[in-house]
Amino acid sequence: MKISVVLVAGGESRRMGRDKATLLFHAKPLWQIQLELLQKLEPTEIFVSARTDPVWRPADVQFVADDLPSRGPLSGLAASLTRMRAQHLLALAIDMPFMTEEYLTFLCNQIEPCRGVIAKIEDRFEPLAAIYPQEALANVQSALSGKDFSLQTVTGCLVAAGKLQVMPVTSQERKLFLNMNELADLRSSESHSVL
């Protein structure tokens, strides 16, 4: 099945203290690492979700502004689901540089009509390494009109509704989901790369 993809780059990077997208990881900025990974999947289209159009966005990648008022990644997900042309949308966080083409392809191979897939580590979903069906839009918009903007809550509802299938993450796969939230994370991963 053909998919659309969105690189979620809209965070405020409060813990990092600067824009994560431009941080160098193995001599490449995070945005470039993630976009090159997504391009390997040969998607129908690639979006970048952010509060403002990033200066680093390549011309062949579409900018998707957060629906206002911005509710973090939930807003970017809603805007991307509204614009996508495919039946499924793969969402990937910009700060997850250990993710691989093999794992994302594995997730893509699990999708079905009207149902996507989400990874889960113990009791937490990984909503920014997940594939959402077009049918998830109603749930996402409903959450935006409420008071709980947590992606954990929304993805839990999507799982309960049968719109997302859960893929438990193995102990070997956990490294793929490591986030670069603080400069210490970046230094630690550079000194003992798990790639």
Side-chain angles (χ1 to χ4, degrees):
M1 285 188 206
K2 274 296 188 184
I3 59 164
S4 297
V5 299
V6 59
L7 179 59
V8 182
E12 294 180 22
S13 302
R14 280 189 292 263
R15 285 180 284 177
M16 187 66 78
R18 55 184 277 210
D19 182 11
K20 289 185 204 178
T22 58
L23 285 174
L24 294 182
F25 183 77
H26 296 288
K28 273 188 183 178
L30 288 179
W31 70 263
Q32 185 179 354
I33 292 168
Q34 298 303 73
L35 281 180
E36 287 176 358
L37 172 61
L38 291 172
Q39 286 164 343
K40 289 177 183 174
L41 301 175
E42 299 181 357
T44 300
E45 61 207 338
I46 300 178
F47 300 120
V48 168
S49 164
R51 292 168 190 258
T52 57
D53 193 351
V55 295
W56 47 261
R57 179 181 59 86
D60 61 343
V61 172
Q62 301 174 55
F63 168 60
V64 178
D66 286 358
D67 286 343
L68 295 173
S70 179
R71 305 298 186 197
L74 188 64
S75 295
L77 190 56
S80 302
L81 284 165
T82 302
R83 294 239 330 244
M84 73 176 188
R85 289 182 289 139
Q87 297 298 306
H88 290 82
L89 176 74
L90 187 153
L92 181 65
I94 199 155
D95 62 354
M96 213 179 274
F98 296 110
M99 187 52 66
T100 64
E101 178 187 0
E102 292 73 24
Y103 190 81
L104 293 180
T105 300
F106 163 73
L107 290 183
C108 288
N109 289 335
Q110 310 307 311
I111 62 176
E112 301 170 19
C114 306
R115 187 159 83 158
V117 61
I118 189 164
K120 190 175 186 183
I121 298 176
E122 292 179 359
D123 62 344
R124 287 193 59 80
F125 295 114
E126 290 292 338
L128 297 182
I131 304 174
Y132 298 87
Q134 199 171 40
E135 292 75 14
L137 179 59
N139 301 73
V140 172
Q141 288 176 329
S142 175
L144 279 175
S145 65
K147 292 187 171 134
D148 184 353
F149 309 118
S150 162
L151 282 177
Q152 290 296 314
T153 304
V154 174
T155 50
C157 291
L158 289 167
V159 168
K163 294 180 184 179
L164 285 179
Q165 176 184 357
V166 175
M167 286 290 122
V169 174
T170 67
S171 56
Q172 294 85 6
E173 292 166 342
R174 285 187 185 205
K175 65 185 178 213
L176 304 177
F177 296 88
L178 291 174
N179 291 97
M180 299 293 111
N181 288 319
E182 300 174 9
L183 284 171
D185 296 334
L186 196 60
R187 285 193 282 271
S188 169
S189 63
E190 288 282 5
S191 64
H192 60 281
S193 176
V194 294
L195 286 176

